[in-house]
Amino acid sequence: MAETQLDDVRKVFTEDDGNEIVAVNDVSIDIEDGEFLVLVGPSGCGKSTTLRMIAGLESITDGEIRLDDRVINDLPAKERNIAMVFQSYALYPHMTVRENMAFGLEESTDLSDDEIATRVEETAEMMGIDPLLDRKPEELSGGQQQRVALGRAIVREPAVFLMDEPLSNLDAKLRAQMRTELQQLQEQLETTTVYVTHDQTEAMTMGDRIAILNDGELQQVGTPLECYHEPANAFVADFIGEPAMNFFDVTRRNADGDGAVLVGETLEYAVSNDITTAIGDRNELVLGVRPEDIDIQHSDGNPRRADGHTVPATVTVVEPTGDENIVYLDLGEDGSETAIVTIDGMSRIEAGDSVVAHIPEDAIHVFDGKTNEALHNRRVESSEPRAPNI
Amino acid sequence: MTDGGTTEERSTLRRWLDSDIVQSSPFWLPPFLLMGFFVYAAIGWNLLLSLTEYSGFGDPDYSNLGLHNYRAMLDDPGMWAATRNTFVLLVGFTVVCLIVGLLLALLLDREIRFSRSFRTIYLLPFALSFIVTAQFWRWMYNVNNGIVNQFIGLFGIGPYNWLGSPKLVLGSVIFALVWQFSGYTMIIYLAALRSIPNDQYEAARVDGASTVRMYWRVIVPQLRPAMVSATVTLVLFALKAFDFLYATFDGYRPRRGADILATKMVRESFGRSEWAYGSSIALMLFVLSLGVIAPYLYNQYKRGNL
Amino acid sequence: MSEQTITTEEAATEHETGGISIGRVGLYATLVGLVGFYLIPIESGLVTSIKTPTALQETFPFLPPAGSGITVEKWQIAFDYLAPGMVNSMLFTIPSTILCALLGSMAAYGLTLVDWRGQIAVLALFIAGIFVPYQAVIVPLFQFWSQYMQLGTRLSFLWGLPLLEPHYATILELIITHTAYGIPIVTLLFRSQYKTMSEEMIEAARLDGASVWRVYRRIVLPLSIPMFAVVFIFQFTQIWNEFLFSLTIIGSTNDPAASATLILSGLGQSLEGTDYPLRMAGAFITALPTLLVYVLFADKFAEGVQT
């Protein structure tokens, strides 16, 4: 059980030809004791490198990593009291499950053989793998191997668990099941856990907090809902949420009286005063809105009042998923911009329909067009946060 | 902190001791030193010896070094003959081995029953000592009742003195060495053939290629890396082939027409005790091998195969 | 299998004679003919080795002799000559094979599974070592053993001990020499296996608290047992078959340390000409251990050759 701090951690790889590649750039994260932190980002974003630096498998170019206020930069991996679960599980193929689980205890502790045996059996029982103890990894299914890999980490009772995409080799159903199980297990053990994944669904559902990385830079650290509703920048807004947020490049035009109008290719969107204040004098902007926040109605039905928040559109594709429909729209008269909208599964909207899309002002995000930084985020009713749509 | 310096020092030392190069050195350093001494130090020593006038018994005199041995090489007609023979052996042996090995591999890669047994038989000569195979071939090439002469006698040709005639001897040696090495080339090609994905055969089939054309256009070009590594091994062998010639001709001096640099080197040193001269020929052999190894290793390094 | 596809389609395109195409028959005929080519020198040697002088003159060299023409006399003579050589060869081949395998596996581990800068340069020296012609080192090697080390004299205190004999000094020299020159190829063989080993597994073991040494001992070594088999078989034949070191380090076929190949090279020489049956018998006796190993473990040998 330990607090883990990353302080301006930096990793530079030098290639053979002398080229330097910054894999992780000044990342600072405080991971609280017992927290489940998910490091998420697209492949090559530096998340695995960060994890490997915590593990001691990768040297740290600059900055500090502290475990309970002790700097561990130069501590060899074996002395860090950290256990890691690998994507490939990395079980020792020539050892039985029992030997696999005992290995770490034999190597890193002074426990007697009896104590080790007891602990292995207790853990195996807890994980439900006790019937497999005398089998070799090759005789196990993928899911069983995964469990053994977890058990091997748990049995050591380490200060920190590190998990590098541990579920990505499982099939979809098993993955969903293991997701829940892992979470429960972590709550029960209260061991600080750093979990790396490229899958935003895993990040959202499992993490106490998530840290989003891109190109080696930390984009945001926060609870899943914070990152969902209050993204720090357009990258986070885009990365978190499925289907992804809709973005429209817009410029600002001052309106008569209060507020302003954000003008895009197909959009003329009126915004009120507090948003204009947030925008300041920036002119290149990006308007963002989540698919579930857009309402659509048949344009011939009951024409909606033109309040500066609507845009005519044509439905191009409808993908029913059961509980909801994912609707692809061509916006405007010529359909030069597109948007994705999710609506209730029972709605009757078909491809080819002409609709009016309504974007409520309290659901929009505005980003700086140059820096991608969030200038305004949607309003969240703190009493009853909307369930994220993932 | 007053003791900052010492902790700093200690941690640097600690860091150094924990570093992977230090941690791994007990594993690679002893083998490296042993091998390094016997291979690389010996080559250096050999270079030094080649600059002396060391011959006969006693110790070499390292005080008077010069290039006289290399100059002597230029005036040595035996040297020219040996060099020429070395290149004939090198080219003839390598090319024929590559072709025969490729044909064997292509034949065996065609869903053959007992293909393992065939492979085992074709590779068998390679597992034998040159001293052993030389005995067999002396008997095969025997003038009076050797199988080779009996066989060509069926067609009314011969008999020839295969190992005695200066014109025939090198060809005969190449033939025997091909017999011994073609199985090796075959194995190298077979491994490469087996690693070609099946879809490629199928794709070529779908494209309507005939068997011969499919092999020629699709499969054989992919054997290039295998061919390169086989060539390196064969060339290097051809350079140093000594055992076979020694055993075939019962001593340091092969029949006229079959002397190569490798045999001349050993003869000058161990037959005639011209140690320094022998060393200079050895160095030449080393440089020739280096000419083959260095580009090969560099290429392997570039492709990330090292 | 690719071959499957080719065969079925080929069968369809070529003339069929009772289910087997003419092409296939030709293919197998070629393969069998090649078996003849590769085996005749060996077969002929074998039948010759049991022929009496009369039979040698009267029968074809590749046909076995008739009843009265058979003799095992030559085998007996050859065996008497070669027996001490066989013992000597075993004495240096087995220890150097084992040493080579151990040192090579360790070197490959240190250079493959532990990552550090400059590794490739060291590795390149190892690999280049495979290709260095022995001629380039043979004179210094001879100097080193005969002038500088003189193990026979240095270790003279040992020869009084039971079971030890002075010529073991030469055997020891051969062990060390063969080990040193075998390390490069063995390192490469092990490296080819270690490169395919899961890096995550090694990292897992290090995180589990195992030191570099313990990772080798408990993870890598047990997983390299199949490669050890390959290396043993390959190196055993290589060292057993070797001749140049025997010739130069041992020197004379009459030396008590003479190896089997060295004795064979001088066997059956006399003024009356070459005694072929004796030579053939000697060749087979010398080749026996390697033949045995090869026939029993042909696949492992092939695997060693491939790398």
Side-chain angles (χ1 to χ4, degrees):
Chain A
M1 322 285 140
E3 186 184 3
T4 312
Q5 290 166 309
L6 279 71
D7 204 349
D8 283 336
V9 171
R10 188 179 173 82
K11 176 71 188 181
V12 181
F13 287 109
T14 312
E15 286 189 318
D16 286 343
D17 52 11
N19 263 358
E20 290 202 336
I21 293 172
V22 181
V24 176
N25 196 359
D26 295 339
V27 167
S28 302
I29 311 173
D30 284 0
I31 306 160
E32 286 159 31
D33 188 10
E35 188 179 13
F36 195 120
L37 181 94
V38 178
L39 281 177
V40 67
S43 54
C45 70
K47 56 190 190 297
S48 283
T49 311
T50 309
L51 193 75
R52 292 168 58 83
M53 284 193 285
I54 303 175
L57 296 171
E58 213 69 76
S59 66
I60 298 157
T61 313
D62 222 337
E64 269 185 5
I65 294 182
R66 288 187 295 271
L67 206 66
D68 279 339
D69 292 326
R70 176 166 168 236
V71 178
I72 57 166
N73 283 29
D74 295 326
L75 212 58
K78 61 183 163 94
E79 287 168 31
R80 293 190 185 192
N81 194 18
I82 279 173
M84 185 154 165
V85 180
F86 292 87
Q87 183 177 355
S88 67
Y89 314 142
L91 298 175
Y92 313 126
H94 57 300
M95 297 184 187
T96 61
V97 170
R98 189 190 302 278
E99 287 164 336
N100 261 286
M101 290 175 68
F103 184 84
L105 292 175
E106 287 163 8
E107 294 296 334
S108 62
T109 67
D110 301 326
L111 294 179
S112 71
D113 289 356
D114 286 344
E115 287 170 298
I116 290 177
T118 321
R119 247 165 88 171
V120 167
E121 267 158 38
E122 279 170 8
T123 311
E125 217 165 296
M126 182 178 82
M127 297 292 299
I129 50 173
D130 42 327
L132 310 176
L133 275 177
D134 292 311
R135 298 217 204 143
K136 293 260 180 83
E138 58 185 13
E139 302 167 68
L140 305 178
S141 70
Q144 289 170 329
Q145 290 188 21
Q146 216 280 333
R147 249 165 222 275
V148 174
L150 269 177
R152 187 174 69 177
I154 289 168
V155 75
R156 282 186 46 210
E157 298 176 6
V160 179
F161 281 133
L162 304 178
M163 305 197 182
D164 192 358
E165 311 235 3
L167 304 183
S168 60
N169 283 357
L170 300 177
D171 64 51
K173 207 169 169 189
L174 202 52
R175 199 182 314 153
Q177 183 192 330
M178 281 308 291
R179 221 153 57 193
T180 326
E181 225 171 287
L182 246 177
Q183 245 177 312
Q184 289 169 346
L185 203 63
Q186 199 269 343
E187 269 165 35
Q188 186 187 335
L189 296 168
E190 294 182 320
T191 306
T192 313
T193 302
V194 184
Y195 185 105
V196 161
T197 181
H198 64 274
D199 178 351
Q200 57 99 20
T201 314
E202 267 176 34
M204 294 291 287
T205 51
M206 297 177 78
D208 292 334
R209 281 193 305 159
I210 57 183
I212 299 139
L213 282 157
N214 186 35
D215 279 340
E217 312 238 7
L218 186 63
Q219 307 291 320
Q220 187 168 3
V221 187
T223 65
L225 291 186
E226 271 167 16
C227 296
Y228 187 79
H229 293 304
E230 293 161 41
N233 55 38
F235 176 81
V236 174
D238 185 36
F239 191 78
I240 302 291
E242 174 66 40
M245 185 183 277
N246 296 294
F247 292 103
F248 307 100
D249 290 332
V250 291
T251 51
R252 168 201 173 133
R253 191 178 70 203
N254 284 327
D256 317 328
D258 283 354
V261 178
L262 303 179
V263 182
E265 220 169 313
T266 55
L267 216 59
E268 288 207 6
Y269 195 87
V271 288
S272 57
N273 238 346
D274 49 337
I275 298 183
T276 8
T277 320
I279 293 170
D281 55 1
R282 294 174 186 83
N283 197 29
E284 272 178 56
L285 302 163
V286 176
L287 175 69
V289 60
R290 296 239 176 243
E292 70 271 20
D293 290 329
I294 304 179
D295 301 324
I296 50 176
Q297 284 185 347
H298 282 104
S299 44
D300 43 53
N302 46 349
R304 186 184 277 274
R305 179 173 50 92
D307 61 353
H309 294 158
T310 56
V311 57
T314 314
V315 176
T316 53
V317 179
V318 178
E319 288 176 353
T321 62
D323 60 335
E324 61 177 25
N325 286 332
I326 301 172
V327 180
Y328 294 78
L329 298 180
D330 277 351
L331 296 185
E333 306 297 332
D334 55 352
S336 55
E337 276 184 308
T338 59
I340 300 176
V341 179
T342 51
I343 55 170
D344 190 85
M346 306 300 278
S347 313
R348 289 214 197 100
I349 294 275
E350 281 169 33
D353 287 358
S354 290
V355 294
V356 172
H358 173 246
I359 303 169
E361 194 183 351
D362 63 359
I364 64 160
H365 301 257
V366 182
F367 304 95
D368 187 319
K370 285 184 188 130
T371 62
N372 279 334
E373 191 189 332
L375 304 172
H376 166 82
N377 278 324
R378 64 157 304 143
R379 272 220 325 272
V380 187
E381 279 88 31
S382 50
S383 55
E384 193 197 351
R386 290 168 62 111
N389 192 348
I390 42 173
Chain B
M1 266 189 287
T2 46
D3 62 348
T6 47
T7 38
E8 182 77 353
E9 248 168 60
R10 201 179 302 139
S11 88
T12 326
L13 180 69
R14 175 85 206 271
R15 206 141 125 192
W16 186 74
L17 285 176
D18 281 336
S19 69
D20 282 337
I21 183 164
V22 176
Q23 292 270 307
S24 67
S25 57
F27 291 92
W28 60 267
L29 199 57
F32 182 70
L33 290 178
L34 181 63
M35 185 275 302
F37 175 76
F38 276 93
V39 176
Y40 295 103
I43 291 172
W45 192 353
N46 185 82
L47 169 67
L48 203 61
L49 278 171
S50 75
L51 301 175
T52 65
E53 292 174 4
Y54 182 37
S55 70
F57 294 102
D59 288 320
D61 171 17
Y62 293 108
S63 60
N64 187 18
L65 301 178
L67 291 172
H68 44 269
N69 285 314
Y70 296 92
R71 243 175 271 130
M73 263 193 221
L74 295 175
D75 299 331
D76 182 351
M79 196 62 201
W80 291 106
T83 309
R84 205 202 63 216
N85 291 338
T86 302
F87 278 99
V88 172
L89 177 73
L90 195 143
V91 174
F93 164 74
T94 308
V95 170
V96 178
C97 251
L98 286 175
I99 294 170
V100 175
L102 177 62
L103 292 177
L104 289 177
L106 290 178
L107 287 177
L108 278 187
D109 190 43
R110 307 208 43 211
E111 161 90 352
I112 299 289
R113 271 165 170 257
F114 314 117
S115 79
R116 257 195 185 174
S117 313
F118 283 121
R119 190 190 71 176
T120 306
I121 290 169
Y122 299 161
L123 186 61
L124 172 61
F126 186 70
L128 299 176
S129 170
F130 293 110
I131 312 304
V132 170
T133 56
Q135 311 306 328
F136 295 150
W137 282 97
R138 285 175 68 154
W139 178 233
M140 293 287 287
Y141 283 137
N142 181 18
V143 185
N144 303 320
N145 48 1
I147 291 180
V148 178
N149 275 338
Q150 292 200 345
F151 181 75
I152 61 168
L154 293 177
F155 306 97
I157 318 170
Y160 292 109
N161 188 357
W162 297 101
L163 294 175
S165 149
K167 282 203 177 120
L168 295 176
V169 62
L170 203 53
S172 310
V173 167
I174 290 176
F175 188 81
L177 288 176
V178 167
W179 171 80
Q180 188 160 8
F181 270 85
S182 43
Y184 162 78
T185 338
M186 169 196 74
I187 286 282
I188 302 291
Y189 280 129
L190 264 183
L193 279 173
R194 300 262 147 99
S195 70
I196 295 176
N198 293 335
D199 346 358
Q200 294 195 9
Y201 291 85
E202 281 158 20
R205 277 280 155 202
V206 173
D207 288 347
S210 70
T211 308
V212 172
R213 280 179 65 81
M214 177 191 72
Y215 271 103
W216 186 246
R217 305 255 327 257
V218 181
I219 306 303
V220 173
Q222 298 191 54
L223 299 179
R224 234 183 80 98
M227 194 187 84
V228 171
S229 65
T231 307
V232 170
T233 312
L234 293 173
V235 165
L236 290 171
F237 170 75
L239 278 178
K240 63 187 184 183
F242 165 81
D243 306 9
F244 188 84
L245 291 166
Y246 182 95
T248 306
F249 301 105
D250 277 333
Y252 293 120
R253 154 117 5 241
R255 215 59 50 83
R256 203 157 65 79
D259 195 18
I260 61 170
L261 288 172
T263 47
K264 185 169 169 63
M265 181 269 146
V266 183
R267 181 173 68 249
E268 293 293 347
S269 326
F270 292 88
R272 302 180 53 215
S273 297
E274 291 292 345
W275 304 109
Y277 192 49
S279 299
S280 59
I281 303 174
L283 199 87
M284 222 180 100
L285 269 171
F286 173 69
V287 171
L288 286 175
S289 323
L290 206 62
V292 180
I293 307 163
Y296 175 70
L297 283 186
Y298 182 72
N299 195 351
Q300 293 289 88
Y301 169 69
K302 280 276 137 190
R303 292 151 157 263
N305 286 350
L306 269 191
Chain C
M1 297 302 285
S2 58
E3 293 91 336
Q4 196 101 42
T5 333
I6 295 158
T7 322
T8 41
E9 299 202 12
E10 187 179 55
T13 51
E14 290 180 49
H15 307 283
E16 294 198 15
T17 47
I20 308 163
S21 72
I22 290 176
R24 295 299 282 182
V25 173
L27 183 61
Y28 278 98
T30 315
L31 289 169
V32 172
L34 283 164
V35 169
F37 171 68
Y38 283 100
L39 287 186
I40 276 218
I42 301 170
E43 184 268 350
S44 160
L46 189 61
V47 293
T48 303
S49 70
I50 52 168
K51 284 178 184 175
T52 58
T54 343
L56 186 67
Q57 292 301 321
E58 289 168 356
T59 53
F60 283 112
F62 51 90
L63 289 182
S68 64
I70 298 180
T71 172
V72 291
E73 187 203 353
K74 301 296 181 189
W75 278 75
Q76 277 164 353
I77 300 174
F79 184 77
D80 288 342
Y81 272 109
L82 283 164
M86 301 285 282
V87 173
N88 290 333
S89 283
M90 282 293 173
L91 281 179
F92 66 78
T93 304
I94 292 171
S96 33
T97 302
I98 294 171
L99 279 173
C100 262
L102 278 177
L103 290 170
S105 141
M106 282 166 59
Y109 170 70
L111 294 172
T112 308
L113 295 178
V114 190
D115 243 350
W116 46 278
R117 235 165 233 278
Q119 210 176 39
I120 286 287
V122 176
L123 189 74
L125 285 175
F126 268 99
I127 294 177
I130 300 170
F131 302 112
V132 167
Y134 291 165
Q135 271 83 0
V137 295
I138 198 76
V139 173
L141 188 70
F142 175 70
Q143 281 270 309
F144 175 72
W145 289 126
S146 66
Q147 310 283 123
Y148 293 91
M149 288 309 283
Q150 299 185 319
L151 283 184
T153 326
R154 275 174 204 238
L155 300 177
S156 53
F157 61 93
L158 284 174
W159 311 139
L161 299 174
L163 294 175
L164 288 180
E165 290 176 49
H167 73 261
Y168 286 176
T170 313
I171 300 283
L172 186 60
E173 290 171 3
L174 285 167
I175 292 175
I176 297 171
T177 309
H178 280 300
T179 305
Y181 291 103
I183 284 171
I185 178 74
V186 174
T187 304
L188 184 72
L189 283 169
F190 277 109
R191 179 174 160 83
S192 72
Q193 190 210 352
Y194 293 170
K195 267 194 344 195
T196 65
M197 240 180 223
S198 153
E199 236 172 274
E200 292 195 339
M201 180 185 66
I202 305 295
E203 287 171 349
R206 289 185 83 167
L207 280 174
D208 264 348
S211 61
V212 172
W213 166 252
R214 302 282 296 170
V215 172
Y216 178 69
R217 170 73 197 72
R218 295 201 56 192
I219 308 284
V220 176
L221 208 54
L223 289 174
S224 355
I225 290 169
M227 192 39 102
F228 266 97
V230 171
V231 166
F232 279 144
I233 283 148
F234 186 69
Q235 268 315 91
F236 178 86
T237 44
Q238 293 300 302
I239 298 177
W240 181 276
N241 289 343
E242 204 283 331
F243 179 67
L244 188 58
F245 290 149
S246 291
L247 178 68
T248 49
I249 295 175
I250 303 168
S252 152
T253 50
N254 300 322
D255 193 288
S259 68
T261 47
L262 187 58
I263 296 177
L264 175 65
S265 73
L267 190 68
Q269 273 314 103
S270 65
L271 291 174
E272 302 95 68
T274 315
D275 185 343
Y276 283 110
L278 179 61
R279 288 213 145 197
M280 296 303 135
F284 273 99
I285 292 171
T286 308
L288 209 58
T290 42
L291 271 178
L292 216 66
V293 163
Y294 181 76
V295 170
L296 290 178
F297 309 103
D299 287 341
K300 297 253 177 240
F301 181 83
E303 202 180 316
V305 169
Q306 271 168 31
T307 315

